[in-house]
Amino acid sequence: MAAPKTKDRPSPENDRPAARSKTAGTAARGRARAPKSAYSAAEVAEIFRRFSVQRPEPKGELEHVNAFTLLVAVVLSAQATDAGVNKATRPLFKVADTPQRMLALGEARLGEYIRTIGLWRNKARNVIALCEALIRDHAGEVPDSREALIKLPGVGRKTANVVLNMAFGQHTMAVDTHIFRIANRIGLAPGKTPEAVERTLVRIIPDEYMRHAHHWLILHGRYVCKARKPDCPACVIADICKWPDKTTDVPAPLREIAPLGPVEQPA
């Protein structure tokens, strides 16, 4: 006969070690796999100090006259060049620089302005829907929170981050193809997704440089650390850079360079 169980004798269930929650296990694995920057805090600070000397007041290259036209320009820039968007929006923003005026223009007439931009039909539809949402939900004003922005038609996280940074001065990081490439190429913020790169960059960049960090990285990637053939001799951080295939360890002279053409039109 089996011995009767007592209060002091644990049941077989209690003999097994306590199982870790699925959430805790996932979080721990995520922390273990989180890629680290190849640079020390001092090196990161020096990288952005040099960028700040080179371009004290960097500007985005999408032309706009207010927060609304900036939002529209960024939406239109998906899979298109800034130059191509600017060419189309210069005449557009002269007649429609508010959600109300853009909505009054209508999808068909809006399409006539942006026909030279890729995916213009879908973008025209999104912009009109965007205007309707701004008027209906935000009294015609561009909201200053990411949560509200990404609920708007045609607006994703990157677009929201650009608007928050440029229009509202928030310390956001919009990871485009240039920033994603640089972050992984030189080991500044390795990551398999733009969101992973964004998290690391926001964490490691000193707060004093976050206001302009997004533009510094984009311009560096567009004109120096280019996709096919990086111009290492023109790089002001060549001595700090840890890319194994860089062609020089000698940094370019650190001096201020002129802004790259007009950005905003007068209101």
Side-chain angles (χ1 to χ4, degrees):
M1 175 183 289
K5 291 184 179 180
T6 68
K7 291 182 179 180
D8 295 329
R9 183 176 179 180
S11 68
E13 288 181 352
N14 294 331
D15 281 338
R16 292 193 297 269
R20 296 174 65 191
S21 72
K22 184 175 180 181
T23 302
T26 301
R29 288 193 299 273
R31 287 194 297 271
R33 291 199 301 265
K36 295 182 179 180
S37 175
Y39 300 80
S40 67
E43 288 172 326
V44 173
E46 177 61 13
I47 286 172
F48 287 92
R49 184 195 72 81
R50 295 187 192 182
F51 286 159
S52 72
V53 172
Q54 191 177 41
R55 293 186 173 94
E57 293 291 334
K59 301 293 183 183
E61 295 182 327
L62 284 173
E63 299 173 9
H64 59 282
V65 299
N66 52 33
F68 169 69
T69 54
L70 171 63
L71 176 59
V72 171
V74 179
V75 168
L76 295 178
S77 70
Q79 300 182 49
T81 66
D82 288 355
V85 172
N86 290 340
K87 184 177 180 181
T89 57
R90 284 184 196 121
L92 171 63
F93 292 158
K94 289 180 180 179
V95 298
D97 59 354
T98 67
Q100 293 83 353
R101 291 173 181 168
M102 192 73 74
L103 188 59
L105 196 64
E107 184 178 329
R109 287 199 60 202
L110 171 59
E112 294 174 5
Y113 282 95
I114 65 172
R115 288 177 68 92
T116 56
I117 299 176
L119 305 175
W120 65 271
R121 288 187 178 86
N122 189 55
K123 290 178 180 179
R125 191 176 309 115
N126 279 339
V127 169
I128 293 300
L130 169 68
C131 293
E132 292 173 338
L134 287 174
I135 295 169
R136 180 185 66 244
D137 301 330
H138 303 284
E141 299 295 327
V142 176
D144 61 356
S145 77
R146 183 185 292 115
E147 292 73 19
L149 283 168
I150 61 178
K151 291 178 181 178
L152 298 172
V155 177
R157 185 180 182 89
K158 184 180 76 172
T159 295
N161 282 341
V162 171
V163 173
L164 292 174
N165 180 266
M166 293 181 64
F168 300 106
Q170 296 186 23
H171 291 183
T172 57
M173 177 60 62
V175 178
D176 70 347
T177 55
H178 298 295
I179 295 179
F180 188 78
R181 179 179 68 253
I182 291 175
N184 282 284
R185 173 184 281 165
I186 73 174
L188 181 62
K192 294 183 179 181
T193 66
E195 289 78 11
V197 169
E198 176 189 338
R199 286 194 298 270
T200 300
L201 288 173
V202 170
R203 177 174 54 83
I204 67 173
I205 297 172
D207 189 66
E208 64 188 291
Y209 298 122
M210 271 302 301
R211 176 67 178 87
H212 296 308
H214 158 247
H215 285 127
W216 285 325
L217 288 172
I218 286 178
L219 294 171
H220 189 67
R222 184 171 290 167
Y223 298 105
V224 179
C225 198
K226 296 175 281 191
R228 295 188 179 182
K229 190 177 180 182
D231 190 0
C232 295
C235 179
V236 295
I237 62 168
D239 55 326
I240 305 174
C241 176
K242 300 182 189 297
W243 185 39
D245 296 326
K246 66 181 180 180
T247 59
T248 181
D249 289 318
V250 179
L254 184 58
R255 55 174 175 260
E256 184 176 341
I257 60 177
L260 297 167
V263 178
E264 299 184 359
Q265 302 169 357

